[in-house]
Amino acid sequence: MTDTHRTYWDEIDFAQMAAEHTIGDAFQVFARKSRDEIRAHQERLFARCVARAWQVPFYQRLWGEAGIARGDIRGLDDLPTLPVFDKSDIMASLERAPPFGDFAGFESHAQRPPVILHTTSGTTGKPQVLLFGAKSREVQALMLGRLYRWQGLRPDDVVHSVYGHGMINGGHYVREAVTHWTSAIFLSAGTGIETRSAQQVELMKTFGATVIVGFADYIKKLAEVAREQGLVPGVDIPVRMITGHMGREDQDAISEAWGGAVCFDWYGVGDTGIVAGEGPDRDGLYVMEDAQVLEVCDLDTHRPVAAGETGDMVVTCLYKDDLYPIIRFNTHDVTQVKTGRSALDVNFTRIEGFLGRSDNMVKIRGINIFPQGIGPMLDEHPAFAKEFICKARRDAQGRDSFIVVAEATAPADPALAKAFGEILKRKIGIEVEVELAAKGATASLTQIEVRQKPIRLIDERYG
């Protein structure tokens, strides 16, 4: 019997990968190239992605229904003329051709190549299948590893990760980034349900964790748990750097909670891997333009908006040409492009970071509200206990209201509820009802202990 297995490592041309997606000092050299040089690099990679897409039934159908024929896509200037797709299209593909869908294009291979399969967390609905070819999987790990190194990760660091595992992509992907592309030691603690919070704190103390990676909400909680155990974050647990998914307000709060650790934000989704991340200057998130093209698009027309205007992030992955191409994937995450020049002389586009989800946005009396942004707004008040959940309601007369249930250090103080309400009215533009809760009281609603991304909105208007 002939053994016909093709291994993960055999599928990767490491010399070519190193030339196209640099790391360490070579990355900083590439990032300072001229815009014309960066664009030429992107065009070369984009042509390969388009050629692969035409082999995939998903794109044959998507583009064919839009009247696009082979030869119509000549380069990146044609991107805005192409249709976007999103999770709903992937889910429809899975329904059409279970269990893997037709977006991976297995049909074009005489023998199925090595494939990595994960799913999304299901935060925004039914978990979605995620498929990665060996080369594209390793490139996205390289990109995250190089970002960590650029942000200041050192060879002697001990990295404590609170990303989830199981079928979820996040924890596995981050582990690969650190273990394949840095020299740091990696602690794969996972979420609070995988490793209890008190046990995580003990692990961090025992192994001398110096870096934490994960989502802001749970990282803040771990600091509280450490203090409850009589430990001083930043002293008994020598964390000096935290990198994950957070807004500017989150960074200040988390840094304070962890004894002044330097905090960095980065953005990516399961399908695309890392899209952008803060550099040492912490002045916006740099789009990894050797591997990604990011369009910030109007929510309705899907056409790019002007720099400084908010819109959906629509991503084209320039390195995914081995299995499942991603060309104009609408994340439904909202951001805006930063204007002005980088202090680091890096010529990559910068964005403000994650500003909310357009498909989780609620419109209350004509005002668009992104629930994820409520916590950072309230962080300016010292009595806010960092946890919250939002509710949207409609009364018998059809009038909508927006309620924020906020944990507070003095949950019975009506003056504090009024102060929270005034902050939100000033920042949102309408009256918001505020209900105070004791610390920990919203955990059953947000499910912060068991989800990577806590629930932030309960829409009661249609139930």
Side-chain angles (χ1 to χ4, degrees):
M1 179 178 176
T2 302
D3 188 337
T4 59
H5 283 278
R6 297 161 58 189
T7 71
Y8 179 93
W9 302 111
D10 290 338
E11 294 293 305
I12 304 170
D13 183 335
F14 282 95
Q16 181 178 354
M17 186 172 72
E20 293 177 346
H21 308 289
T22 51
I23 192 168
D25 293 340
F27 163 66
Q28 296 189 53
V29 171
F30 182 91
R32 293 183 174 90
K33 287 181 178 289
S34 70
R35 289 301 306 175
D36 286 344
E37 290 174 299
I38 293 171
R39 182 70 169 204
H41 170 89
Q42 292 178 319
E43 291 284 8
R44 287 193 296 272
L45 272 58
F46 180 61
R48 291 202 315 234
C49 292
V50 171
R52 171 60 186 154
W54 279 120
Q55 299 174 337
V56 177
F58 177 86
Y59 282 98
Q60 293 168 2
R61 182 177 60 257
L62 178 70
W63 290 348
E65 290 174 355
I68 297 165
R70 295 176 185 269
D72 289 347
I73 306 171
R74 297 174 297 278
L76 289 169
D77 286 343
D78 294 322
L79 265 186
T81 69
L82 304 181
V84 301
F85 72 98
D86 60 16
K87 176 178 178 178
S88 66
D89 297 292
I90 296 300
M91 300 304 285
S93 173
L94 293 167
E95 291 286 339
R96 182 179 292 108
F100 301 120
D102 64 356
F103 55 89
F106 288 149
E107 302 85 350
S108 65
H109 296 273
Q111 175 186 327
R112 189 180 68 202
V115 176
I116 294 87
L117 184 150
H118 287 293
T119 70
T120 62
S121 63
T123 303
T124 57
K126 182 180 178 181
Q128 172 199 325
V129 169
L130 298 172
L131 299 172
F132 306 91
K135 176 249 185 170
S136 55
R137 179 73 174 187
E138 204 56 36
V139 171
Q140 70 176 42
L142 178 155
M143 288 195 295
L144 182 56
R146 80 175 178 198
L147 179 72
Y148 287 162
R149 288 163 60 166
W150 194 34
Q151 291 173 339
L153 183 71
R154 300 192 304 239
D156 61 348
D157 276 320
V158 176
V159 179
H160 184 88
S161 170
V162 299
Y163 288 102
H165 294 86
M167 286 302 296
I168 298 171
N169 176 51
H172 301 281
Y173 158 45
V174 173
R175 173 183 51 79
E176 291 160 16
V178 174
T179 58
H180 293 183
W181 297 101
T182 84
S183 302
I185 290 175
F186 188 77
L187 306 180
S188 54
T191 64
I193 197 170
E194 291 174 304
T195 308
R196 292 181 299 104
S197 300
Q199 185 180 359
Q200 292 210 24
V201 167
E202 184 60 31
L203 285 169
M204 296 170 74
K205 179 176 183 295
T206 298
F207 292 105
T210 54
V211 176
I212 306 176
V213 297
F215 288 88
D217 305 88
Y218 191 63
I219 293 173
K220 282 189 285 188
K221 179 177 177 61
L222 282 180
E224 296 173 7
V225 173
R227 288 192 171 87
E228 290 169 0
Q229 295 187 10
L231 301 174
V232 179
V235 178
D236 298 309
I237 303 173
V239 171
R240 62 171 188 82
M241 172 179 162
I242 298 171
T243 177
H245 312 283
M246 59 190 77
R248 178 65 63 183
E249 296 86 353
D250 286 324
Q251 289 180 328
D252 295 340
I254 292 175
S255 177
E256 181 180 355
W258 280 98
V262 180
C263 296
F264 296 92
D265 187 20
W266 69 272
Y267 171 80
V269 294
D271 304 79
T272 67
I274 177 177
V275 173
E278 285 189 308
D281 56 337
R282 295 195 299 162
D283 184 17
L285 280 64
Y286 291 87
V287 179
M288 298 291 104
E289 290 196 280
D290 63 321
Q292 309 278 21
V293 172
L294 178 65
E295 302 169 271
V296 179
C297 294
D298 182 89
L299 305 187
D300 297 316
T301 68
H302 307 140
R303 304 284 295 187
V305 300
E309 295 182 9
T310 58
D312 275 337
M313 286 190 260
V314 175
V315 183
T316 295
C317 299
L318 298 173
Y319 62 97
K320 283 183 173 281
D321 58 5
D322 57 343
L323 186 68
Y324 159 38
I326 294 182
I327 298 175
R328 296 209 89 202
F329 176 73
N330 190 350
T331 66
H332 292 289
D333 289 336
V334 175
T335 194
Q336 61 190 49
V337 172
K338 282 183 69 74
T339 57
R341 185 160 182 81
S342 158
L344 302 176
D345 286 329
V346 169
N347 282 324
F348 286 176
T349 298
R350 290 176 298 155
I351 59 174
E352 291 289 356
F354 173 76
L355 301 179
R357 284 193 61 82
S358 59
D359 60 0
N360 196 30
M361 178 188 74
V362 287
K363 187 178 286 289
I364 305 292
R365 300 193 292 281
I367 300 295
N368 295 334
I369 302 175
F370 296 101
Q372 291 92 339
I374 296 297
M377 294 179 190
L378 290 177
D379 265 337
E380 74 172 49
H381 199 293
F384 175 52
K386 311 304 180 186
E387 280 302 316
F388 70 99
I389 194 162
C390 305
K391 299 180 179 181
R393 293 176 182 154
R394 179 168 292 161
D395 63 21
Q397 288 71 45
R399 179 178 173 80
D400 290 343
S401 58
F402 191 73
I403 301 93
V404 174
V405 182
E407 295 184 10
T409 55
D413 185 355
L416 183 57
K418 181 180 178 181
F420 282 9
E422 289 173 349
I423 290 172
L424 295 176
K425 181 180 179 181
R426 168 166 47 86
K427 296 195 173 188
I428 296 174
I430 61 171
E431 294 278 357
V432 171
E433 298 177 33
V434 175
E435 299 175 4
L436 299 184
K439 291 183 68 174
T442 66
S444 63
L445 298 175
T446 63
Q447 299 181 30
I448 188 171
E449 287 279 6
V450 299
R451 299 171 69 100
Q452 289 197 114
K453 302 175 185 177
I455 296 168
R456 293 304 183 194
L457 175 68
I458 299 174
D459 197 333
E460 302 174 349
R461 294 174 294 176
Y462 311 108

